[in-house]
Amino acid sequence: MLRLLLRLFMENQLHLSEPERLRRQKLIELQEMGINPYPAEAFPVNITATDIKSNFEADKENQKWKEIAIAGRVMGVRDMGKAAFVVIQDDLGKVQVYVRRDDICPSEDKSLYDVVFKKLLDIGDIIGIKGFVFITKTGEVSIHANEISILSKALRPLPIVKEKEGETFDAVTDPEFRYRQRYADLIVNPHVKDTFRKRTQIIRSIRDFLNDHGAMEVDTPVLQNIPGGAAARPFITHHNALDIPFYLRIANELYLKRLIVGGFDWVYEFSRNFRNEGMDRTHNPEFTILEFYVAYKDYYWMMDFTERMLEKVAMELHGTTSVQLGENQIEFKAPFKRISIFEAILENTGFDVSQMDEEGIRSVCQKLNIHTEPSMGKGKLIDELFSETCESKFVQPTFIIDYPVEMSPLTKKHRSKEGLVERFELMINGKEVANAYSELNDPIDQRERFEEQIKLMERGDDEAMFIDDDFLRALEYGMPPTSGIGIGIDRLCMMLTNQQSIQDVLFFPQMRPEVRHKLAEEESPESSN
RNA sequence: GAUUCGGUAGCUCAGCUGGUAGAGCAUUACACUUUUAAUGUAGGGGUCCUGGGUUCGAGUCCCAGCCGGAUCACCA
């Protein structure tokens, strides 16, 4: 009695809705009947909904349909008195279960059906069914239940999504609900689950392709002393025992190159990177880049390899290289178009900036109404010019090649074109998906490039790179000629799964915390850094 | 960070120039032993995001804040 009162008091404190109070009441009733709503025993699942739905009709006599055990979440109930249809959903699909009172309650005691099944079972509960497969009068492959057991009671009502002939009704669309409560989103929106299956498939295809070609998967530090390998603001943290700051990596490039120095000729890593920048449809503070580095190759080889890899990934995912993306049809068939950044600017603006100095390019920017900052060097100005006037034009996969040296501090100088480097970016659907170089392996040149970055930093560019002396020391031992690439995995997944937002290819996209903790509010405002 | 749109029942949404809070689904009760957005009948359910203000009276108007989306800025 005391426990009951305590429980009632606590539930009052929780501000439970009426359906939530009811479900808690049902939980108690189950326990009072001696039924554990959260049993410990394994349930011997021997079949899936999809297996039943897709294979029963062609092979009805197979023994395996005679004694099945299936588990899943109750997604709908059509109660007709002494019989009912229950739709259950398991990992891959849905199937309906025919539950007849006299089958699950063969004796005089009908309470399992009349009370447990009809009164205490809710949509969202997870149940186990034992029975056999059959086809209903209306022709639907179904399960005839002989036994039914509760495997987990749901205390929170699920948003109900109804569907008929592929059309859905009252689907949960609120992005805040979907991203904060992804678990519920995954339950009620099957297409979301499908997108994430595809993401896993994409990563597996890439990994297989790399492994098949002799690459070795490695792990490198996430906590770094010097956040190198890219131009971005890092997250900073602190190591207590050493009493020094650490940075969450913005890239793993410099570590993979150290491994190339160490004698591994082909290394790759799916690197979770962290950048302390804004968030939008194509940016999340943590995101995944695949980087790989191959000794004795150059950026031409890398273009060939990349287009073959993406062609194969698209093919394995969709069975075709032609992929629907919004209004566009993206063709992943190799080879991809190649165009130099200066040609791209010339084509789209009519200005040939390839021979211009910093001031000349600045005046072109002004003519085109492109905002510039005094801190911008020649490289940054060209980058700005390209992204403002060209980037969105490249819908089909296109390699933009031969960037100016100023914007590529880790890239080898071009073998024949003065002032350029051997670099390409891969544009798909107007977005950068990959960035690759013939890697700079001249330690003296590399030191000078770092020093250029320091000058940019002094001009006010807060994303210029730091000097990494240990990386330079590694290069001094000699790094073989190497080509490397970084591929934005989240963006690639968006493009291959027809998603408009990075949040739709990340299980748990970053969001502002839901509730402000009182403690945090009471603390001094200075502590927010 | 800026601009803009939004936040009403578990879900999807309506709510006019300010006047007692609405629908469908879900839920509860009853009926129904092959239904499938099951059906029929009858109910219950609200911190209208939060806090101020204007007003006799605020879901509605004003101000501030919180959360989200879109666009822009930074960036991949």
Side-chain angles (χ1 to χ4, degrees), chain A residues 189-412:
Chain A
N189 288 322
H191 64 276
V192 174
K193 222 173 166 185
D194 194 49
T195 300
F196 286 102
R197 280 205 192 87
K198 284 183 178 146
R199 181 185 169 112
T200 297
Q201 164 71 51
I202 289 163
I203 290 169
R204 183 168 51 214
S205 288
I206 293 172
R207 187 173 267 129
D208 287 348
F209 195 75
L210 287 166
N211 289 344
D212 290 348
H213 285 80
M216 178 170 128
E217 186 165 16
V218 298
D219 286 304
T220 63
V222 174
L223 285 179
Q224 300 181 350
N225 251 326
I226 297 164
R233 269 183 284 267
F235 285 93
I236 187 163
T237 185
H238 185 260
H239 191 282
N240 289 342
L242 298 177
D243 192 24
I244 53 167
F246 271 114
Y247 301 89
L248 274 65
R249 70 177 165 202
I250 57 173
N252 60 348
E253 169 159 357
L254 302 185
Y255 282 92
L256 291 183
K257 286 183 187 171
R258 284 171 170 95
L259 295 178
I260 295 286
V261 170
F264 291 107
D265 283 348
W266 192 340
V267 289
Y268 74 94
E269 179 177 18
F270 286 91
S271 172
R272 186 69 62 91
N273 294 345
F274 304 84
R275 298 189 185 174
N276 206 340
E277 316 274 2
M279 295 155 63
D280 61 28
R281 273 206 344 278
T282 53
H283 298 86
N284 193 67
E286 57 181 290
F287 63 105
T288 303
I289 294 271
L290 163 70
E291 291 205 25
F292 61 85
Y293 290 80
V294 196
Y296 312 113
K297 306 297 186 191
D298 61 13
Y299 78 140
Y300 290 115
W301 178 90
M302 186 59 87
M303 280 188 263
D304 295 342
F305 186 84
T306 302
E307 63 197 11
R308 280 193 292 130
M309 183 171 83
L310 294 184
E311 178 182 11
K312 183 225 168 208
V313 170
M315 197 67 186
E316 285 189 352
L317 189 68
H318 294 295
T320 167
T321 55
S322 182
V323 177
Q324 186 75 35
L325 178 53
E327 301 294 296
N328 299 318
Q329 196 74 25
I330 308 290
E331 181 51 72
F332 281 91
K333 180 118 194 87
F336 301 165
K337 188 182 166 194
R338 298 173 191 193
I339 181 173
S340 84
I341 188 167
F342 289 134
E343 283 164 15
I345 292 170
L346 180 60
E347 269 185 21
N348 285 291
T349 69
F351 289 101
D352 182 358
V353 298
S354 63
Q355 305 303 316
M356 290 183 186
D357 61 5
E358 185 177 318
E359 281 318 304
I361 296 165
R362 195 180 295 277
S363 70
V364 169
C365 286
Q366 274 152 8
K367 279 178 203 154
L368 294 167
N369 277 326
I370 294 164
H371 178 75
T372 61
E373 297 278 349
S375 68
M376 286 178 177
K378 186 179 168 186
K380 194 101 176 171
L381 289 168
I382 292 167
D383 189 32
E384 199 64 23
L385 198 51
F386 177 79
S387 52
E388 288 295 318
T389 62
C390 307
E391 203 168 274
S392 60
K393 305 278 169 51
F394 294 105
V395 173
Q396 295 303 321
T398 305
F399 293 116
I400 311 297
I401 66 172
D402 297 345
Y403 284 68
V405 63
E406 293 85 353
M407 55 196 285
S408 313
L410 303 169
T411 314
K412 189 173 271 189

Side-chain angles (χ1 to χ4, degrees), chain A residues 22-215:
Chain A
L22 262 160
R23 283 174 182 237
R24 279 170 156 76
Q25 189 53 45
K26 289 175 179 181
L27 184 77
I28 295 169
E29 286 174 41
L30 281 171
Q31 287 162 335
E32 281 169 352
M33 291 178 77
I35 295 168
N36 182 356
Y38 305 103
E41 300 80 25
F43 187 83
V45 174
N46 64 12
I47 205 149
T48 65
T50 312
D51 188 6
I52 291 170
K53 298 273 277 209
S54 46
N55 300 325
F56 175 72
E57 284 191 282
D59 183 23
K60 284 182 191 155
E61 297 315 310
N62 195 320
Q63 268 310 111
K64 79 172 191 177
W65 311 118
K66 304 279 193 272
E67 282 186 27
I68 61 148
I70 188 167
R73 192 181 292 275
V74 176
M75 296 302 285
V77 180
R78 293 183 287 277
D79 175 6
M80 291 162 307
K82 296 181 181 62
F85 285 92
V86 180
V87 178
I88 61 167
Q89 172 172 282
D90 65 12
D91 192 355
L92 290 168
K94 289 180 186 170
V95 63
Q96 73 167 4
V97 181
Y98 179 54
V99 181
R100 201 159 64 172
R101 186 176 74 168
D102 295 336
D103 289 326
I104 66 164
C105 298
S107 67
E108 284 305 300
D109 178 10
K110 305 294 184 193
S111 64
L112 178 65
Y113 184 86
D114 288 339
V115 180
V116 177
F117 177 73
K118 282 189 73 164
K119 305 280 185 198
L120 303 180
L121 194 72
D122 288 302
I123 289 176
D125 291 355
I126 294 166
I127 60 174
I129 301 285
K130 290 179 182 171
F132 59 88
V133 182
F134 76 113
I135 297 182
T136 62
K137 276 204 306 216
T138 49
E140 181 158 344
V141 177
S142 309
I143 296 166
H144 191 121
N146 292 325
E147 286 178 46
I148 182 167
S149 49
I150 293 178
L151 303 180
S152 183
K153 179 77 191 156
L155 295 184
R156 191 176 286 268
L158 212 51
I160 298 299
V161 179
K162 295 247 172 182
E163 58 190 59
K164 187 188 189 180
E165 287 149 17
E167 208 183 338
T168 50
F169 301 84
D170 299 338
V172 183
T173 51
D174 175 19
E176 187 163 4
F177 179 94
R178 292 189 45 231
Y179 300 147
R180 286 198 198 282
Q181 303 188 47
R182 180 68 89 185
Y183 32 86
D185 183 32
L186 289 164
I187 294 166
V188 300
N189 288 322
H191 64 276
V192 174
K193 222 173 166 185
D194 194 49
T195 300
F196 286 102
R197 280 205 192 87
K198 284 183 178 146
R199 181 185 169 112
T200 297
Q201 164 71 51
I202 289 163
I203 290 169
R204 183 168 51 214
S205 288
I206 293 172
R207 187 173 267 129
D208 287 348
F209 195 75
L210 287 166
N211 289 344
D212 290 348
H213 285 80

